[in-house]
Amino acid sequence: GCDFYDKQVELRSNKRVHLSVWDIGGQSINSKMVGNYVYGSHVVFLCYDSTDQSSFYACDDWFATVNRTFATQSDVPGERKKP
């Protein structure tokens, strides 16, 4: 599953930004949906379970998946770069 949280935040500079946090915990790194979750993001946080060493090591794979997704993004909204 996927849980998400949305909030409008006003920064000290009086600039308003939209914060959207998606928790895709439990998703397989090979899931076809992962790219859809991170596509269009400006920031991605990779989190791990500090009591599970394999969770920490999996961050490398997640980082590679995020980088591949960002590599296909276009600067034009609604368009994807051709791989």
Side-chain angles (χ1 to χ4, degrees), residues 58-70:
C59 284
D60 285 338
D61 294 332
W62 282 103
F63 186 71
T65 298
V66 169
N67 278 337
R68 279 193 305 274
T69 300
F70 283 157

Side-chain angles (χ1 to χ4, degrees), residues 1-62:
C2 176
D3 294 318
F4 62 93
Y5 174 78
D6 283 318
K7 183 172 183 168
Q8 292 288 330
V9 179
E10 186 169 333
L11 303 176
R12 289 186 208 166
S13 62
N14 293 327
K15 182 176 182 176
R16 293 180 62 85
V17 296
H18 177 87
L19 175 65
S20 182
V21 178
W22 293 61
D23 177 1
I24 59 172
Q27 293 289 320
S28 167
I29 191 71
N30 297 319
S31 169
K32 292 181 180 181
M33 290 300 294
V34 172
N36 293 333
Y37 292 138
V38 299
Y39 187 80
S41 299
H42 295 275
V43 175
V44 174
F45 292 96
L46 299 177
C47 302
Y48 62 93
D49 180 348
S50 62
T51 65
D52 180 358
Q53 191 174 24
S54 66
S55 172
F56 175 75
Y57 292 126
C59 284
D60 285 338
D61 294 332
W62 282 103

